[in-house]
Amino acid sequence: PRKEILIKKLVNRYKKIVSIVQNYNPEKNNIILGKKSRVLYGEDFIRDDINGVMFKVSHRSFYQVNPNQTEELYKKAIDYAELTPNDIVIDAYCGIGTIGLSVANYCKTVLGVEVVVSVF
C-alpha cells in the first residue's frame, strides 16, 4: 500500500539509492527470495566496483553489503595467497565472481565454479 509515497521518501532521503525491487515469496518455507520480483524504482540490477573491476549485480545475486570492507578483505587474501604469474586459482562457489576477478591480475588463470545459472 502507498508504495509511491514510500519510494519517494526513500529516494529523497538516501540519494545513493539507484534501485528498489520488491520480491514476493508466498511459500511457507525458509527460502529468502521468491520466484517473482517487481522493479519499483530504477533497474533490476546495480553496478559496483571492487578493486578496479566493475560488476553488474542482479537483485537476485548474493553480494557483500559492505563493498569497502570487501575490497580490504580481498586485498588481504591476495597478499596472504602469495600468488605468482603461473598460479591457477579455483574460485569455488564463485557467485558473480568477485573474488576470482579480483585475483585475476595476480595469476595465470582463474576458474570460477558455480551451480547457479547466471542470468547475464
Side-chain angles (χ1 to χ4, degrees):
R2 296 180 267 189
K3 68 178 180 258
E4 291 83 10
I5 295 169
L6 176 61
I7 292 166
K8 185 175 181 179
K9 285 184 177 187
L10 285 170
V11 171
N12 286 336
R13 182 165 183 183
Y14 303 102
K15 302 298 182 190
K16 292 185 178 185
I17 289 179
V18 296
S19 180
I20 300 173
V21 179
Q22 181 180 23
N23 181 266
Y24 304 90
N25 185 4
E27 304 297 323
K28 295 190 185 301
N29 58 31
N30 65 349
I31 298 173
I32 294 171
L33 294 177
K35 294 179 182 177
K36 293 183 181 180
S37 296
R38 180 172 49 172
V39 176
L40 302 178
Y41 175 82
E43 302 288 340
D44 66 344
F45 63 89
I46 62 168
R47 293 186 189 278
D48 202 8
D49 176 290
I50 296 179
N51 292 328
V53 180
M54 182 60 69
F55 293 91
K56 181 179 176 182
V57 185
S58 161
H59 70 279
R60 298 188 64 83
S61 296
F62 171 80
Y63 192 65
Q64 296 291 343
V65 296
N66 188 334
N68 294 331
Q69 281 305 109
T70 301
E71 283 191 345
E72 293 305 313
L73 177 66
Y74 290 2
K75 286 176 186 174
K76 282 289 185 197
I78 290 166
D79 288 344
Y80 289 148
E82 298 179 353
L83 297 171
T84 71
N86 293 319
D87 286 334
I88 297 173
V89 173
I90 297 175
D91 185 1
Y93 308 102
C94 65
I96 63 172
T98 57
I99 295 172
L101 291 169
S102 292
V103 304
N105 289 332
Y106 300 90
C107 60
K108 180 178 180 180
T109 302
V110 174
L111 301 171
V113 179
E114 182 56 74
V115 296
V116 178
V117 178
S118 174
V119 295
F120 296 109

